[in-house]
Amino acid sequence: MTAMLSMRSITKDFAGVRVLDGVDFDVEVGSVHALLGANGAGKSTLIKVLGGQYPDAAGITTLDGEPLDISSPRAARLSGVGIVHQEFDLVPQLTVAENIFLGFESLKLDARSSVWRLVDRNAMIGAAREILDKFNLGVSPDAVVGKLPIGAQQITEIARVIALGRRVMIFDEPTARLGQRDRDRLFEVFQSLKRSGKMVVFVTHYLDEVMAVADRASVMRDGKMIATKEICGTSVTELSRMMVGVDVKGVSRAAKPQVGHEVLSVNNLSDGATFDDISLSISAGEIVALVGHLGSGRHELTRSIRGRRSVKGDIVVRSGHKQKRAKMGFVPENRRVEGIFPELSVGANISLGFLREKSSFSLLPVKKIRATGDDVIARLQIKSAGGSQKIGQLSGGNQQKAVFGREMISDPSFYIIEAPTVGVDVKAAVELHNEIFKMAGRGSAILLATDDLDEAIRISDRILVMLRGRIVAEIASRDATREGLVAAMGAA
């Protein structure tokens, strides 16, 4: 087949640092093409160039042999490029249907005028429902986006790109916030788009998904394109090695960790809508995973324990250790919205964890704040131009490391960690898992909410399964299997 999309010698610098270095990238019509690379490899930057966000980038981009106008996001969209970005671009106050057609609303004449036009909401809802039903996406077009769990918001982003019918469809980490059932639905969408002659670019860190759905894969490292491989002629091991330059092995939880006194106690917790009569406890040094499909109540439960929702029942957090304070740390799944201030520096974002420990009337030790940020950057190997660089310019994985580092500063007795390795490469995932083990080793209790069942099995001590607002199973991780968890979650 003839290449449908061609990018040649794409080059881009940030603050004197070259992030794309003469990248060539070709994608064929009617195919699913995976774009891979470690955090900071340049994948998201390349996508943003194609999406018109960096018109100053050097190089040539063509579609069907003709120059492609990517001088602005609007120009790129009108030229046939649609992107589901890793970080959401939704209006939370609007419905799913309104977000899907935002900027492309259905209009009708005002009955009182031959000039003015009104938004035809019924037409939009009908068109949105048709798309959602056609691809079995499982979200109501009438729902207000801001009230939906993050997985449903991700599906809304995906539906928006599908609805606009772009020839080039780019999905940046689309499965990171989806449960297995919704991932399977998305892969069916990929195959449908492929059969209709669309070009699908699939950016992901999940190499098992690449092997299952992609036709070929291109690997980037340090701003350069390393290689492109046919999926039928490569392996997970080879792709992983090309991504990070070395062989990477995952880590697993110790068979029998040291567990101390009870730290978290939840008794008969209910919110009257999404979950009911939840009781659980976690002890010092223990990692407990919480899994469940979209709509199971898992997201609402973690937010309620965090104290962000009105509930009935008891939530108690204790110190668990004489050297620890009864305090909660929180790593959110939507780090862009809830975890960072994109326009502030890396050091400033990290140091917020230190500032929380100071009274508003205390003097702020600037040198110590800067040193704290620099220490976390070095210890967690956050790839940046230094503590003064804006955190919004970092890759998703490096932003996640910064959020981890900030929460660790106060050494709380209890952590809620949501989707810790979303958008994180295999090497960084191992590093973050090791940090979680260290947190537990220092006597903290950890509630790990994740859609990654393999992650839950590998790094936790116990797994709690939610279904229809209740905890329906508790399984020791050493006895858990992926198939058993899927069955308990109600998907079997």
Side-chain angles (χ1 to χ4, degrees):
M1 289 185 286
T2 303
M4 177 181 177
L5 175 74
S6 178
M7 304 182 78
R8 286 287 176 269
S9 302
I10 306 300
T11 302
K12 173 65 178 170
D13 295 341
F14 284 124
V17 178
R18 181 143 296 182
V19 293
L20 294 177
D21 190 1
V23 173
D24 293 342
F25 184 50
D26 294 322
V27 185
E28 297 177 351
V29 65
S31 69
V32 178
H33 195 123
L35 181 60
L36 309 175
N39 295 123
K43 309 182 300 299
S44 292
T45 304
L46 183 66
I47 287 170
K48 288 176 181 177
V49 170
L50 183 56
Q53 291 181 253
Y54 298 134
D56 59 336
I60 299 173
T61 301
T62 60
L63 187 62
D64 295 334
E66 298 296 325
L68 185 68
D69 185 359
I70 51 175
S71 58
S72 69
R74 178 174 174 79
R77 288 195 298 270
L78 294 175
S79 297
V81 178
I83 303 178
V84 176
H85 288 289
Q86 186 177 138
E87 308 299 344
F88 297 158
D89 188 22
L90 299 170
V91 181
Q93 296 83 4
L94 299 183
T95 66
V96 169
E98 289 167 337
N99 270 280
I100 288 174
F101 293 107
L102 188 62
F104 298 90
E105 292 85 356
S106 299
L107 302 176
K108 63 180 179 180
L109 280 174
D110 185 343
R112 298 164 296 179
S113 169
S114 60
V115 178
W116 296 102
R117 291 178 178 268
L118 302 174
V119 173
D120 191 340
R121 299 188 185 282
N122 289 334
M124 284 199 306
I125 291 172
R129 181 174 284 112
E130 182 178 350
I131 293 164
L132 294 166
D133 290 347
K134 176 182 178 181
F135 292 102
N136 192 28
L137 293 178
V139 176
S140 170
D142 301 300
V144 176
V145 164
K147 296 181 179 180
L148 292 175
I150 197 164
Q153 293 182 30
Q154 179 73 79
I155 290 171
T156 303
E157 283 273 16
I158 292 166
R160 179 160 64 180
V161 170
I162 294 171
L164 298 179
R166 304 309 183 199
R167 295 178 63 198
V168 182
M169 296 190 181
I170 303 169
F171 297 83
D172 190 1
E173 300 285 356
T175 66
R177 298 180 175 94
L178 299 182
Q180 188 59 53
R181 187 161 47 191
D182 289 323
R183 293 182 193 184
D184 292 340
R185 288 172 176 167
L186 177 61
F187 296 153
E188 290 173 4
V189 170
F190 281 4
Q191 296 306 314
S192 177
L193 295 173
K194 175 181 170 180
R195 288 191 297 269
S196 66
K198 305 293 185 182
M199 183 199 71
V200 177
V201 177
F202 179 29
V203 183
T204 183
H205 290 297
Y206 297 106
L207 299 184
D208 57 333
E209 296 178 354
V210 171
M211 301 302 294
V213 302
D215 299 297
R216 56 195 60 84
S218 294
V219 180
M220 295 184 68
R221 188 169 72 237
D222 298 328
K224 299 177 183 291
M225 187 64 73
I226 301 300
T228 296
K229 295 281 186 178
E230 297 290 329
I231 293 300
C232 61
T234 189
S235 66
V236 167
T237 301
E238 182 181 30
L239 293 175
S240 176
R241 186 185 306 119
M242 287 194 296
M243 285 170 61
V244 298
V246 295
D247 289 327
V248 178
K249 294 182 179 180
V251 293
S252 297
R253 182 70 163 143
K256 194 172 182 180
Q258 295 292 323
V259 175
H261 299 292
E262 183 181 68
V263 171
L264 174 71
S265 176
V266 175
N267 294 295
N268 308 117
L269 203 66
S270 301
D271 72 349
T274 60
F275 63 84
D276 182 56
D277 197 27
I278 298 292
S279 296
L280 63 94
S281 68
I282 307 177
S283 298
E286 190 177 26
I287 303 172
V288 175
L290 183 66
V291 302
H293 286 306
L294 181 66
S296 66
R298 187 195 72 191
H299 173 82
E300 292 81 3
L301 176 60
T302 59
R303 295 312 170 96
S304 298
I305 295 173
R306 170 67 173 149
R308 296 190 173 183
R309 302 178 75 247
S310 177
V311 293
K312 294 181 180 179
D314 298 319
I315 303 170
V316 179
V317 177
R318 302 177 178 86
S319 67
H321 193 285
K322 62 182 180 180
Q323 294 180 341
K324 281 186 177 290
R325 295 165 58 189
K327 189 172 181 180
M328 189 183 302
F330 180 56
V331 178
E333 58 184 333
N334 193 346
R335 59 177 168 263
R336 185 80 180 185
V337 174
E338 299 177 281
I340 64 170
F341 292 92
E343 294 303 311
L344 295 183
S345 69
V346 180
N349 271 273
I350 291 171
S351 296
L352 289 173
F354 176 78
L355 296 178
R356 283 199 301 251
E357 300 301 297
K358 302 295 291 183
S359 164
S360 58
F361 298 104
S362 300
L363 294 176
L364 301 180
V366 176
K367 289 184 178 180
K368 187 170 183 178
I369 291 172
R370 186 179 296 116
T372 299
D374 291 342
D375 175 67
V376 171
I377 290 170
R379 181 155 47 89
L380 297 185
Q381 299 179 8
I382 297 172
K383 188 175 181 180
S384 70
S388 61
Q389 183 179 3
K390 288 183 179 180
I391 197 170
Q393 295 176 345
L394 301 189
S395 67
N398 284 300
Q399 291 176 8
Q400 183 75 322
K401 287 182 179 181
V403 175
F404 260 71
R406 180 183 67 218
E407 296 305 304
M408 290 160 53
I409 288 173
S410 61
D411 194 22
S413 61
F414 171 59
Y415 289 91
I416 296 175
I417 301 178
E418 297 179 333
T421 54
V422 163
V424 171
D425 65 64
V426 289
K427 183 172 181 289
V430 170
E431 294 169 350
L432 290 175
H433 287 161
N434 278 324
E435 289 301 325
I436 292 173
F437 294 157
K438 291 177 184 176
M439 293 172 184
R442 291 192 293 267
S444 295
I446 296 170
L447 179 62
L448 173 73
T450 180
D451 288 310
D452 188 336
L453 301 184
D454 294 325
E455 177 176 65
I457 293 169
R458 284 199 317 273
I459 74 167
S460 72
D461 304 309
R462 291 184 287 129
I463 302 173
L464 304 178
V465 180
M466 288 196 70
L467 174 66
R468 300 188 184 96
R470 291 181 177 271
I471 294 176
V472 296
E474 178 177 332
I475 306 169
S477 299
R478 63 178 179 275
D479 299 326
T481 65
R482 184 182 181 86
E483 294 74 20
L485 291 177
V486 170
M489 290 161 61

